[in-house]
Amino acid sequence: MNLALWIAAGLLAAVALTGGVTKTFVPREKLAAAHGGGWTGEVGTVVKTLGILELLAAAGLVLTAALDIAPVLVPVTAVCWILLMVGAMITHGRRGESAFVVLNLAYLALAAFIAWGRFGPESFTG
């Protein structure tokens, strides 16, 4: 179980890192032109803020436990990721982008598994 949780956290951290770097450093006009990125042209500076939050999530999902610095942040970060994915699903749903809704649902499920596992049976405090 511990290994599965580490793998899930690593996968989700990679997703968060990729999205965070993209949203933080790629110009909004280029993001808006990409497939599934149309929403970025409608939200202004929020895109960069989301990118920074995703970079922090990548660190919170893996580094805090790997470095043994406040490992409780792993499940807390996973819960925050769940909230972020609910917002992403609503945004893509309103735009009729059902494939992205399904993708965000998969990320949400992965985060829920991490939160459940790290708050429960495989917490770092036990």
Side-chain angles (χ1 to χ4, degrees), residues 12 42 50 53 74 92 98 103 106 116 120:
L12 200 56
E42 303 166 1
L50 288 172
L53 289 173
V74 173
H92 287 295
S98 58
L103 182 62
W116 168 80

Side-chain angles (χ1 to χ4, degrees), residues 42-59:
E42 303 166 1
V43 295
T45 59
V46 173
V47 176
K48 296 247 185 266
T49 303
L50 288 172
I52 291 168
L53 289 173
E54 289 181 11
L55 292 173
L56 291 172

Side-chain angles (χ1 to χ4, degrees), residues 80-92:
C80 292
W81 189 266
I82 289 168
L83 297 174
L84 184 66
M85 290 302 100
V86 168
M89 289 167 48
I90 291 169
T91 299
H92 287 295

Side-chain angles (χ1 to χ4, degrees), residues 16-26 51 54-55:
L17 183 63
T18 302
V21 167
T22 302
K23 290 180 185 84
T24 303
F25 299 110
V26 174
E54 289 181 11
L55 292 173

